[in-house]
Amino acid sequence: MRLPIIKHVVEFIEKNDEDYVVESMELLEDLIEAKGIKDEELDVIGELLSNFSGALEVSKEIKKGTPQKEALNGFMKRVMGSIDK
């Protein structure tokens, strides 16, 4: 996961609507099933999906009143904590 990408997508959600991100994720999930897709392409799609998912989680925290920086840092701490285990 890349924090700059998550932050950018969070800002996109704030300006637009999270439905765009959800629908983009649905498209990417469907694209995984395409014939002839290479492992490298699957890796990129997976990375995008994880960043979009993270941005949705951060966006929900912001809507609850958590400041953006705090929401982003909290999310990344949870991610890093789950990786360390």
Side-chain angles (χ1 to χ4, degrees):
M1 289 192 178
R2 304 241 321 125
L3 191 58
I5 293 172
I6 293 171
K7 183 178 178 185
H8 188 83
V9 175
V10 166
E11 291 169 358
F12 176 88
I13 291 169
E14 290 173 354
K15 292 177 191 171
N16 299 282
D17 191 309
E18 73 179 37
D19 289 342
Y20 289 109
V21 176
V22 171
E23 290 171 358
S24 296
M25 290 176 70
E26 290 171 359
L27 172 63
L28 290 170
E29 288 168 352
D30 187 65
L31 188 58
I32 289 171
E33 303 299 322
K35 290 184 180 181
I37 201 132
K38 298 176 184 173
D39 288 343
E40 298 85 20
E41 295 164 332
L42 287 172
D43 290 342
V44 171
I45 292 170
E47 185 69 19
L48 286 170
L49 284 168
S50 66
N51 285 308
F52 287 1
S53 179
L56 288 172
E57 286 187 42
V58 170
S59 178
K60 287 178 185 167
E61 287 298 314
I62 292 170
K63 287 179 184 174
K64 291 180 185 176
T66 306
Q68 183 186 43
K69 185 175 181 178
E70 189 178 319
L72 286 164
N73 287 336
F75 174 76
M76 290 309 290
K77 284 180 184 176
R78 287 193 309 274
V79 169
M80 296 308 290
S82 69
I83 292 172
D84 290 339
K85 292 181 180 181

